[in-house]
Structures are given as C-alpha cells and as structure tokens.
Amino acid sequence: MMRTRPLKVALLGCGVVGSEVARIMTTHADDLAARIGAPVELAGVAVRRPDKVREGIPAELITTDATALVKRGDIDVVVEVIGGVEPARTLITTAFEHGASVVSANKALLAQDGTSLYASADRHGQDLYYEAAVAGAIPLIRPLRESLAGDKINRVMGIVNGTTNFILDRMDTNGAGYSEALDEATALGYAEADPTADVEGFDAAAKAAILAGIAFHTRVRLDDVYREGMTEVTAADFASAKRMGCTIKLLAICERSADGESVTARVHPAMIPLSHPLASVREAYNAVFVEAEAAGRLMFYGPGAGGSPTASAVLGDLVAVCRNKLNEATGPGESAYTQLPVSPMGDVVTRYHISLDVADKPGVLAQVATVFAEHGVSIDTVRQQGKDGEASLVVVTHRAPDAALSGTVEALRKLDTVRGVASIMRVEGE
C-alpha cells in the first residue's frame, strides 16, 4: 500500500545536473512514487543566481539560503550537486544533523573527506549515497559496495574521465596533436574552459580514491593517489604504441599488493594492448574493469558524464534512499575494517616503454643495457634505428618496481651517449 504523505527532497544546485534531476522528478513523478512506495516532492532548490529562468521549477521553490533549506527539519533527502569542498561539506553534515539523508555527486569532497561524512551520517542514522560521483550513469559504486561485498577485489582499472578519453581517442584515430584534440573537445562541450582538472588527472585521481576505498575496505584519500597528467602524450607515443599493438589511455588503477598487505592507487597515461577491453573504449565514454577472486573479470561501460547520465545515477540513489526512509533503515556505510596501508608509487610493479635519443655509434646499446642491469630491471625488447650520427632507441622492460625504473631513467640521462629521453610511459593491461 502506498503512503500518501510525500517524502520531501531538497536540491542543492540547479546547473546541468541539478536541472535534469528536477526535470526527471517532475516528469516521472508517478513512476518514482510507484517504485519507492510514496510520492516524492521537490521542496526547495538552492541556487546562487535566483534571477535565472529555470523551466519547470516554480519560483517559490528557489532560494539562495542553502543552509536554511537543509535545516528545515521536514526535509527527508538532500541532493547535493553543487560540487567543491565548501560549502558542500558543511551543508551535508548540517543535513544529517537535521534528519535528512544525502545523495551526492561530489567526488572531490568524498575523496578528500569521505571518512568524516560517513561518520556524521552514521552518528545521525542517515544514508550517504554517491553513485554519480564516479563514472556518471555507469552503475559502479553499488555493485562494488553491495553486489561484490562477499568477494575479494584485487584490482580496479578504468577510464573514468570522458574528456581525456575523447582527446586521446582523437589523437589515436585521427592523428591529431594534443592541442588540436583539446580544441575539438572544448568546441563539443566535452572540455571545460579550464581543462586542468581533467587533463592533469585531478578528476580521475578523486575517483580512484573513492574506488580504492570501496574495493579494498580501507581508507584512501586523494593525497594517497599518485597522479600524472596526459598533456605530454605525443603523436610519436601513439606511433610507438601502434608498433607494439597498443593504444594509449589515461587510466585510474587501484590494486592490492601481491602479498595482500597493502594497496596502491594511481592515475597516469599508459599503453594497453589492443586486445584489452579498455582499448576499444572510444569518444567520451568511460569503462571500469574489475578483477575479483570469485567473480573473475567484470567490465562496466557507459557515458561517464553529462546532465542526463549523471542525473540517472542521482535518481537511482534517490529511490534507494527514499525506500530506506520508508523502512526506517539505512544502507551500507563506510567499510574500512582492513585498514591497509597505501604504498607509494615507487613500490608499484609495472612495465615501462622508454624512448631515448642516442648517438649512433657502436657500444651505445651495451651501455644502456648495463644501466638497466645495474638497477635490476630486465629488458623485454629493444628497437634501434638511426642515421647521420643520431639514433633512437626504444626499450620495453619486464615488470619491475617503479622506483627501480625511475632510477634507471635518471642514470640513463647521465650517459654521454644519451642525448635525451624522448618519452617514458608505463605499459599496463596484460
């Protein structure tokens, strides 16, 4: 039997995502009520610019006082889509204190301070759901938190930023340079006017922190994630990748160590084999590859950003939280019982693709090979070509600790016969 008294929802933010949330709540009101077991009512919308026309939202619901809205006491669920750390953090904790559960899309806040938010939600008996914070419409957080709760996850690797994937895809398929591909992404609305958060990996790093924390039942903060952007990736790198049967993607990688005693989280460009499922992810799409002991290999794929896809994830969380409200229950909270340490990047075992500009004369390859051997790094393949006294030397290594590979590169730079290091890139996905 359906309850007639509606559950009241406060919306913080009414931009691209927030306006879609409001629209879907209105146009699909009957369906949402049937799925939840009670009507849902948009009770207030907090915005910064009250004079802006917002189609479909009654003017009397608009307010600039977000704090007063979440303090009302009759609000059941607060949907936060304003982003950033403050005032979002204060508004969310205030909502918990006044009896409201929270649905958020705020990856930056969750990556930086998720632990205190979980603690506040638990203290006040409220829910904190955030499916939309990672990979847009792709159902990912709930499968990790619930569907795979009985399994042991060893690795999560994925493309979690649509802007960077679009740029790298254009560089790969059209032969475009980085600047040209970025300009196209901006013109199509995939890249912001200031694309730094995307292309330098900050956005992906926040998502990696969230994924690692859930997957490994441990606390991983944004500062724990190694981050490397993709602005230095060149057409020459793609040419080298193609010769290896690879392409290049900006990857978020979270993995458990071989002994199971620590975890790592990192974001960086990497060459991956064309045979790997992530290699075929095109345009601005996202995909995440999960490796679990019992379930095996799983892949989640779909649009990772945009108003409608992100709103879909928000509404899914809203339905779940409202159902919990009706049943006077809460969903899963923070699971950090393992308390595993987060190892530095130097401990990560990986492969390298290193391109060197060298003198074209006898003995150079022997000198380079000696440096690799002295640092305990085994060489997989070497390719050398050159003329007129100059040459290029491309070395692909076997797996070794990242610190050993970094030390190798520094030693190579000191050789008289090495004119420069043209590019360095990790090789993943094997």
Side-chain angles (χ1 to χ4, degrees):
M1 182 176 178
M2 183 178 294
R3 192 182 82 167
T4 56
R5 184 171 66 82
L7 292 158
K8 294 189 176 183
V9 178
L11 179 61
L12 307 183
C14 198
V16 173
V17 176
S19 60
E20 270 298 290
V21 170
R23 184 190 67 79
I24 294 172
M25 284 185 64
T26 301
T27 58
H28 294 183
D30 291 342
D31 286 337
L32 291 173
R35 294 165 191 172
I36 292 168
V40 287
E41 174 189 325
L42 187 60
V45 182
V47 300
R48 287 184 297 176
R49 293 176 291 174
D51 297 331
K52 182 179 178 181
V53 176
R54 293 174 172 86
E55 187 177 347
I57 300 177
E60 62 268 21
L61 295 184
I62 301 295
T63 179
T64 57
D65 194 342
T67 301
L69 179 59
V70 299
K71 281 184 173 181
R72 272 176 41 171
D74 65 334
I75 299 297
D76 295 291
V77 184
V78 169
V79 174
E80 182 272 310
V81 288
I82 57 176
V85 175
E86 286 292 354
R89 174 168 44 199
T90 299
L91 290 170
I92 289 173
T93 55
T94 302
F96 292 145
E97 292 164 4
H98 287 78
S101 289
V102 173
V103 172
S104 177
N106 196 329
K107 55 187 172 288
L109 175 58
L110 288 159
Q112 181 172 311
D113 205 17
T115 296
S116 69
L117 295 182
Y118 269 125
S120 179
D122 183 62
R123 188 162 55 250
H124 297 285
Q126 303 300 324
D127 271 326
L128 173 62
Y129 275 53
Y130 47 90
E131 185 68 65
V134 180
I138 304 172
L140 181 60
I141 300 300
R142 193 169 294 127
L144 291 177
R145 286 213 293 183
E146 300 177 28
S147 303
L148 294 172
D151 208 338
K152 181 181 180 182
I153 298 173
N154 291 317
R155 199 168 200 239
V156 179
M157 180 171 78
I159 298 162
V160 295
N161 182 278
T163 300
T164 53
N165 199 58
F166 179 89
I167 292 170
L168 292 172
D169 183 49
R170 282 294 189 265
M171 293 177 71
D172 184 22
T173 58
N174 296 354
Y178 168 76
S179 296
E180 181 185 352
L182 174 59
D183 288 344
E184 184 180 358
T186 304
L188 292 172
Y190 293 132
E192 301 287 345
D194 180 1
T196 302
D198 294 322
V199 299
E200 293 296 349
F202 291 101
D203 175 85
K207 295 169 182 176
I210 295 170
L211 292 173
I214 297 171
F216 307 131
H217 303 278
T218 198
R219 288 173 178 167
V220 180
R221 289 171 52 88
L222 181 58
D223 292 344
D224 296 322
V225 181
Y226 172 83
R227 179 193 55 78
E228 187 180 312
M230 41 81 63
T231 57
E232 301 301 318
V233 176
T234 65
D237 292 325
F238 274 102
S240 292
K242 287 181 178 179
R243 281 192 286 269
M244 289 177 58
C246 292
T247 188
I248 299 171
K249 299 291 185 181
L250 183 74
L251 298 178
I253 303 173
C254 314
E255 57 190 350
R256 196 186 298 266
S257 63
D259 61 10
E261 297 300 315
S262 65
V263 299
T264 58
R266 49 197 166 103
V267 169
H268 54 72
M271 294 182 179
I272 58 173
L274 294 175
S275 58
H276 194 282
L278 291 177
S280 61
V281 178
R282 308 292 299 278
E283 299 284 333
Y285 276 76
N286 283 192
V288 178
F289 200 70
V290 177
E291 298 179 25
E293 285 198 356
R297 296 181 172 186
L298 309 170
M299 184 159 152
F300 301 83
Y301 170 84
S308 293
T310 306
S312 171
V314 170
L315 267 295
D317 278 350
L318 179 63
V319 169
V321 169
C322 286
R323 286 172 175 168
N324 291 343
K325 281 282 182 180
L326 289 181
N327 293 321
E328 298 182 349
T330 55
E334 182 183 33
S335 177
Y337 71 91
T338 62
Q339 299 182 15
L340 295 173
V342 182
S343 297
M345 185 63 188
D347 291 348
V348 172
V349 177
T350 187
R351 299 178 66 201
Y352 261 68
H353 174 282
I354 304 170
S355 180
L356 305 171
D357 294 326
V358 299
D360 186 16
K361 61 182 183 181
V364 173
L365 180 56
Q367 285 185 326
V368 169
T370 297
V371 170
F372 277 90
E374 288 173 348
H375 287 80
V377 178
S378 176
I379 294 175
D380 182 15
T381 63
V382 178
R383 186 179 73 254
Q384 183 175 7
Q385 60 183 23
K387 61 180 180 178
D388 300 328
E390 298 295 331
S392 64
L393 191 65
V394 176
V395 179
V396 179
T397 73
H398 285 291
R399 289 169 61 84
D402 198 82
L405 289 161
S406 296
T408 301
V409 172
E410 290 307 307
L412 289 171
R413 294 182 193 276
K414 296 176 183 179
L415 291 178
D416 292 339
T417 51
V418 174
R419 310 295 193 219
V421 178
S423 70
I424 308 170
M425 192 167 296
R426 295 172 183 85
V427 182
E428 300 283 350
E430 296 177 292

